[in-house]
Amino acid sequence: MSGVGPHPKTVDLLNFLHTLAAVALLSAPLLAGSARAAPPNFIEFESGHVRPIAMSPSKTQLFAVNTPNATLEIFNVTPQGLVFQARVPVGLEPVAVAARNNGEVWVVNHLSDSVSVVTLVGIPHVVRTLLVGDEPRDIVFAGSTGRAFITTAHRGQQRTDPSIAGVEGAGDPQMTTSSVPRADVWVFDPDHLGTTLGGTPVRIMTFFTDTPRALAVSPDGNTVFVAGFKTGNQTSIVNEGRICTGFNTNQPCWLSDLSISPGGHLGPATDASGEPAPEVGMIVKYNNAHRHWEDELGRNWDNSIRFSLPDTDVFAVDANSLSQTASFAHIGTTLFNMVVNPASGHLYVSNTEAVNNVRFEGPGTFAGHTVQGHLAEARVTVISGATVTPRHLNKHINYAKLAGSSGFDPTAKDHSLATPLDMAVTRDGTTLYVAAFGSSKIGVFNTTELENDTFDPTVDSANYIPVSGGGPSGIVLDEPRQRLYVMTRFDDAVKVIDLATKQQIAALPLPNPESASVVQGRPMLYDATRFSGNGEASCSSCHIFGDNDDLSWDLGNPDATVTKNPTPINESNPLILAVGETMFGVKTPLNGSGKVDDFHPMKGPMTTQTLRGLTNSGAMHWRGDRSNGFFGIDPFNENLSFNNFIVAFQGLVGSVDQPSAAQMQGFTDFQLQVVPPPNPVRSLDNSLTASQQRGHDFYFGPHPSDGFNVPGIGLILGTTTFTCNGCHALDPSQGKFGASKNDSFEGIEQVFKIPHLRNLYTKVGMFGMPAIPGDNPGNNVNQGAQIRGSGFQHDGTVDTLFRFLQAQVFNPRSRVGFAGGDPQRRDVEQFLLAFDTDLAPIVGQQVTLDASNAAMVGPRIDLLIARARTLFASQVLGPGATECDLVARGVVGGHAVTFALRGGMFTPDDGGPAVSDAALRALAAVDGQQITYTCLPPGWPH
């Protein structure tokens, strides 16, 4: 070992333990799958930045999270500029950082479900790892004692860990229970973190919205503001079975539960060429003035929406008493960041407001309307007292003028800001800076003009600050030096802006292990400066950080034409299909035309699908209709399918032109590398609970879950009847996670591709559904306030997985269905919520060993080692992969060292000899030599 000499006791201990190393190696069990193929060099997750950059209270140091590198970058702020000081390994996918004081920084690790407590004394390193709920996003310090507040999803393995069973708010997340708040904030006392495995929170507070994201603190430090993330906009979906047959909107009808439907489908009844449209569901929006669920015609659909959506988005918390003091509704659809004006105390919330209640992409010629180019308005919402005032940052845009049409202004995009994220306000409260992630700009606003809505983007945009690299995600204001520090995610760098000249004067690139194809292709997802007619819309307007927006959209195109479905279709035999249609009570022609292999352009409402995990998926879209498109036809080629999305740049995003074939291939190459995170419902040792195991056994068992007896054909497994796995094949070694290469008729008005099941746990939150044909009735009464307006199935109309399993096709009959009734359905529901993903649950998990906690954290280290030696089937990782690569990091003998578990021994990166497990643990017994163990994805750079 080199550098400053180690502590004398450390030398003695190492000499002794190295002597025993050979013996330890001989006695250690061999690493499972020692002859393994090389896994990928890097796994891309595409986690969204929240607070990626911060300054020390003394203004002498700058901290930036390096998300792909899993490190904290530390810079000294000098008269000559930023000077790199140190790089500290933290958890996976760090997205937020906050300085507790001049000697300590906390980093939020989105994928590791942890917070790294980093000391700045001596060699900066992690001294404690706090374990929190799933996907933590932000952190602030507030209150008289400087408590730490951390946002997380209302789920995750640590939530139910026995070590915090006595903490208020911990325990069962109740994922199958109605009206449960699902935004958690973990509160810690930094001076008393406790002696439990991952720290003992003072409390886990929960708020009535979906998964939270941003936090902010009042000027006096005594109020914390908590914001949900994808909080919705009071839209929901009426199931097709609740709409009268046909397209007469003025003719009511009786429904099966003896309630009245106000009329037929909205139409048009055909596409522009006269092909009959399928009769589909319908998006409705709650009208707060009328107090009714209404469609675009103003018809009342209260009978068909059996819940309410309070749409509470932001909450105020007393940081000392830990009590909620206020809530604020209708802030926006997707909330990104918050900042408090230090002079007025007004709260600013950056957000976008989705326009998913408007139907159709394309030119809107035949239907008379389109959502093209008007997907989600970029806004800053002002909260002053109890008053909520949204301000559209791009109010100069004339959405009625489509790109390329007469009267369209191609210069409008020059004044636009897309995807507003982080913000900063000057000390006097007069100027607001906004990082526009999709515009490569920093918006600059006079706060009085913003609040009074007197700003003019066409004039004020002259003050916007261009930033190189793309994707500005975080900003820090350094007023004494007249500097603005900006994190840019596209190129993974820190930029320095001179506020006097509004010019970038320095760029500090960070080490980035991502492939060139990821870096080059990423802007295609977010950038609104190139392929957006008005500079506001992009693919990420709906696919937030490459995921989804938890909304349904009706993006049919009446001006397009019917195409053919090349994908094999289960139950496409005419006789089988006819029996199925009769059994399900289908009253209208399948796909509109009655032809099983038609893709009609008017497809109806569909929930936004995630763009994560697309590799091995074959045809894309809910119907698989991207299998037939611009670049050709292939039912099994996901590369072609994604490339076929090229038409969306003009038809939906609203670009004057479309990308080149090379640009679209670059987008495809990037997106196909992004994978979903590990399942936070699954136990860390990858085992199943008793209920999940019973569900698993039924899922993989020989007993068919659905099907029907066709005269002359009967019950034939794989033809007229299927097991769960027979449709939704689960084979991780082949990249199959429920998605089939086939389409299927499922009693719905169209044929759909069999989808993957990896992210079902993220769709929990809508409870309440009326009776519909084809489903067993039960619990159809209004369920009261909920946090989400969409649920499961292609259009989001099914509220729970349990309800989905109540489809009559699953009813027990001769040799088919849930013979075990509802208890068996509940077991399958539990297994589906814990469904396998590309990565093992242990990936990202961490723990820090120090001189005092060996007894508490020892079993967790044992678990990490065991999982690192356990074979794991994953097509993404390749054959012979284990669940994770285990590394251990710390400052040993005066310098930073990373140890990697290889063949039963831990090999250091400084050229020193490998040490045994016991030897490594013994190093942490020396004060100041904390060792942090982390399970990395197999193949990741160490």
Side-chain angles (χ1 to χ4, degrees):
M1 296 186 180
S2 59
V4 179
H7 190 283
K9 291 184 178 179
T10 303
V11 173
D12 295 339
L13 180 63
L14 283 173
N15 288 337
F16 173 71
L17 292 172
H18 288 157
T19 302
L20 298 179
V23 177
L25 178 59
L26 290 173
S27 62
L30 294 176
L31 177 67
S34 55
R36 49 182 282 195
N41 292 328
F42 189 78
I43 300 292
E44 187 66 40
F45 296 104
E46 203 60 15
S47 304
H49 278 172
V50 183
R51 189 186 302 267
I53 192 167
M55 285 194 82
S56 62
S58 64
K59 305 290 186 184
T60 59
Q61 289 187 304
L62 184 77
F63 312 103
V65 298
N66 188 345
T67 301
N69 204 47
T71 53
L72 174 68
E73 311 289 328
I74 304 175
F75 299 89
N76 290 328
V77 184
T78 74
Q80 292 74 39
L82 297 182
V83 177
F84 175 77
Q85 186 216 356
R87 177 170 298 120
V88 182
V90 288
L92 301 192
E93 299 288 288
V95 295
V97 57
R100 180 188 170 208
N101 51 46
N102 290 322
E104 187 173 284
V105 177
W106 290 31
V107 180
V108 175
N109 306 306
H110 187 64
L111 194 88
S112 288
D113 299 346
S114 68
V115 176
S116 300
V117 179
V118 177
T119 181
L120 303 176
V121 178
I123 299 176
H125 65 283
V126 174
V127 295
R128 185 75 186 264
T129 298
L130 303 178
L131 305 181
V132 294
D134 185 41
E135 297 188 335
R137 285 185 165 89
D138 202 6
I139 179 172
V140 295
F141 296 97
S144 58
T145 59
R147 287 169 168 158
F149 295 76
I150 301 149
T151 54
T152 83
H154 187 72
R155 56 180 183 253
Q157 295 93 344
Q158 184 63 14
R159 210 178 190 289
T160 56
D161 192 88
S163 66
I164 61 168
V167 173
E168 182 178 343
D172 182 5
Q174 299 177 287
M175 299 189 72
T176 60
T177 302
S178 173
S179 303
V180 171
R182 301 197 181 273
D184 285 359
V185 173
W186 290 52
V187 184
F188 288 90
D189 180 349
D191 291 321
H192 303 90
L193 292 176
T195 58
T196 55
L197 171 68
T200 308
V202 177
R203 186 179 303 174
I204 302 174
M205 304 185 70
T206 306
F207 303 90
F208 200 82
T209 188
D210 211 344
T211 299
R213 178 175 155 94
L215 295 166
V217 181
S218 62
D220 65 5
N222 290 321
T223 299
V224 172
F225 297 98
V226 181
F229 181 20
K230 295 180 281 188
T231 60
N233 58 357
Q234 292 186 296
T235 56
S236 190
I237 315 95
V238 175
N239 187 279
E240 184 273 333
R242 303 288 297 180
I243 304 172
C244 301
T245 301
F247 293 87
N248 188 337
T249 57
N250 297 315
Q251 181 61 56
C253 64
W254 290 98
L255 299 173
S256 60
D257 62 354
L258 302 182
S259 62
I260 296 177
S261 172
H265 296 265
L266 291 170
T270 71
D271 63 19
S273 65
E275 290 285 350
E279 299 190 17
V280 297
M282 179 175 56
I283 294 174
V284 293
K285 187 177 178 71
Y286 189 76
N287 187 317
N288 286 286
H290 299 169
R291 298 182 181 238
H292 294 300
W293 290 98
E294 297 178 352
D295 63 19
E296 65 186 48
L297 300 178
R299 295 183 295 175
N300 181 340
W301 291 92
D302 291 352
N303 280 337
S304 293
I305 304 295
R306 299 292 171 88
F307 54 84
S308 61
L309 291 177
D311 195 30
T312 47
D313 296 345
V314 173
F315 306 83
V317 175
D318 185 313
N320 297 305
S321 67
L322 298 184
S323 58
Q324 180 180 316
T325 58
S327 63
F328 307 92
H330 319 314
I331 307 300
T333 306
T334 303
L335 280 54
F336 291 110
N337 284 66
M338 296 189 293
V339 69
V340 176
N341 187 313
S344 66
H346 297 172
L347 180 67
Y348 303 132
V349 186
S350 60
N351 66 92
T352 55
E353 179 72 351
V355 193
N356 63 312
N357 56 308
V358 175
R359 295 183 298 146
F360 303 142
E361 62 177 317
T365 304
F366 187 66
H369 54 85
T370 178
V371 75
Q372 183 187 121
H374 193 191
L375 302 175
E377 296 181 358
R379 313 193 311 182
V380 169
T381 297
V382 182
I383 301 177
S384 174
T387 303
V388 173
T389 310
R391 293 300 182 218
H392 184 197
L393 301 181
N394 303 319
K395 58 183 179 178
H396 63 287
I397 296 176
N398 183 352
Y399 296 105
K401 300 296 183 181
L402 302 184
S405 67
S406 176
F408 169 71
D409 179 9
T411 68
K413 67 191 307 179
D414 299 335
H415 314 297
S416 298
L417 299 174
T419 316
L421 297 187
D422 202 8
M423 297 172 289
V425 186
T426 54
R427 285 175 297 182
D428 62 8
T430 61
T431 304
L432 171 70
Y433 296 91
V434 181
F437 191 66
S439 302
S440 297
K441 299 174 186 174
I442 305 299
V444 185
F445 295 90
N446 177 286
T447 54
T448 300
E449 293 180 358
L450 178 74
E451 295 188 20
N452 294 335
D453 204 23
T454 57
F455 68 99
D456 182 351
T458 64
V459 175
D460 296 335
S461 59
N463 291 319
Y464 296 171
I465 304 170
V467 183
S468 69
S473 58
I475 55 178
V476 167
L477 190 59
D478 184 359
E479 289 189 82
R481 298 177 181 87
Q482 278 292 284
R483 297 289 185 263
L484 186 72
Y485 306 113
V486 183
M487 168 69 75
T488 50
R489 179 64 185 95
F490 292 179
D491 63 347
D492 196 30
V494 174
K495 310 296 167 58
V496 182
I497 306 296
D498 184 331
L499 291 176
T501 62
K502 293 187 171 61
Q503 297 294 316
Q504 179 178 308
I505 58 173
L508 295 88
L510 307 180
N512 187 352
E514 294 174 320
S515 67
S517 59
V518 165
V519 176
Q520 293 163 7
R522 175 178 286 122
M524 295 293 293
L525 173 63
Y526 302 103
D527 188 9
T529 66
R530 176 62 182 89
F531 293 110
S532 170
N534 56 34
E536 183 176 61
S538 70
C539 297
S540 69
S541 296
C542 303
H543 295 285
I544 313 297
F545 297 116
D547 196 12
N548 57 35
D549 57 6
D550 294 341
L551 298 174
S552 290
W553 296 76
D554 188 340
L555 299 179
N557 183 357
D559 293 292
T561 58
V562 172
T563 58
K564 286 299 180 180
N565 183 356
T567 308
I569 302 170
N570 293 348
E571 300 158 339
S572 59
N573 176 288
L575 178 58
I576 297 174
L577 196 60
V579 172
E581 288 179 305
T582 300
M583 176 181 176
F584 283 114
V586 177
K587 300 178 181 179
T588 62
L590 184 65
N591 298 327
S593 63
K595 300 173 184 176
V596 70
D597 61 345
D598 271 359
F599 283 142
H600 197 283
M602 297 168 62
K603 57 188 177 181
M606 310 269 178
T607 58
T608 304
Q609 292 182 293
T610 182
L611 298 183
R612 299 172 178 176
L614 294 181
T615 188
N616 304 307
S617 65
M620 295 181 189
H621 260 177
W622 277 105
R623 301 183 303 176
D625 49 51
R626 289 302 185 203
S627 59
N628 184 340
F630 185 87
F631 287 105
I633 302 173
D634 191 325
F636 309 124
N637 188 333
E638 60 269 7
N639 182 80
L640 174 70
S641 252
F642 196 88
N643 270 288
N644 280 341
F645 278 101
I646 191 172
V647 296
F649 280 91
Q650 288 182 302
L652 182 58
V653 176
S655 176
V656 174
D657 53 5
Q658 65 185 19
S660 67
Q663 289 170 321
M664 195 63 204
Q665 186 61 57
F667 188 9
T668 302
D669 292 342
F670 155 65
Q671 200 60 63
L672 292 187
Q673 294 180 63
V674 181
V675 302
N679 191 315
V681 179
R682 195 75 163 253
S683 295
L684 292 179
D685 63 1
N686 211 17
S687 65
L688 299 172
T689 66
S691 177
Q692 292 166 359
Q693 186 65 54
R694 291 191 298 268
H696 167 279
D697 294 345
F698 180 84
Y699 189 97
F700 283 99
H703 187 80
S705 57
D706 71 355
F708 35 85
N709 197 337
V710 179
I713 298 179
L715 288 166
I716 302 176
L717 189 64
T719 301
T720 64
T721 184
F722 298 84
T723 65
C724 293
N725 195 59
C727 275
H728 294 278
L730 174 57
D731 184 353
S733 69
Q734 299 300 312
K736 296 180 180 179
F737 295 94
S740 169
K741 296 297 177 74
N742 288 11
D743 284 8
S744 181
F745 167 68
E746 296 295 334
I748 307 172
E749 67 282 350
Q750 298 176 84
V751 168
F752 285 89
K753 185 174 184 288
I754 299 169
H756 81 95
L757 306 176
R758 281 170 292 189
N759 64 346
L760 296 178
Y761 66 89
T762 69
K763 297 176 180 287
V764 170
M766 184 181 93
F767 292 81
M769 182 178 173
I772 60 171
D775 278 10
N776 298 324
N779 196 24
N780 299 117
V781 300
N782 194 295
Q783 297 295 301
Q786 305 298 326
I787 62 167
R788 290 170 58 105
S790 67
F792 300 91
Q793 203 167 267
H794 70 284
D795 56 4
T797 58
V798 177
D799 60 343
T800 66
L801 288 171
F802 180 71
R803 181 94 63 184
F804 174 81
L805 298 175
Q806 291 290 345
Q808 291 172 4
V809 71
F810 296 126
N811 284 348
R813 296 178 304 284
S814 173
R815 296 181 288 135
V816 172
F818 286 100
D822 284 352
Q824 195 170 54
R825 289 185 173 91
R826 289 294 186 189
D827 289 339
V828 172
E829 177 184 43
Q830 289 301 308
F831 173 63
L832 293 176
L833 290 172
F835 208 73
D836 299 63
T837 73
D838 303 82
L839 300 170
I842 203 69
V843 169
Q845 292 298 308
Q846 299 186 284
V847 70
T848 296
L849 175 67
D850 63 27
S852 64
N853 67 356
M856 179 57 67
V857 307
R860 178 57 57 90
I861 297 173
D862 294 341
L863 175 65
L864 299 181
I865 293 173
R867 304 326 296 174
R869 303 175 68 178
T870 301
L871 288 172
F872 184 72
S874 170
Q875 195 277 340
V876 167
L877 299 177
T882 57
E883 291 194 4
C884 71
D885 282 354
L886 182 61
V887 297
R889 292 168 167 138
V891 173
V892 178
H895 73 285
V897 186
T898 294
F899 297 86
L901 178 62
R902 302 194 189 287
M905 300 288 285
F906 285 89
T907 302
D909 64 352
D910 64 354
V915 299
S916 68
D917 172 25
L920 182 59
R921 298 193 200 201
L923 293 177
V926 178
D927 286 340
Q929 289 195 168
Q930 299 90 346
I931 303 292
T932 298
Y933 294 76
T934 305
C935 260
L936 302 178
W940 256 37
H942 298 160

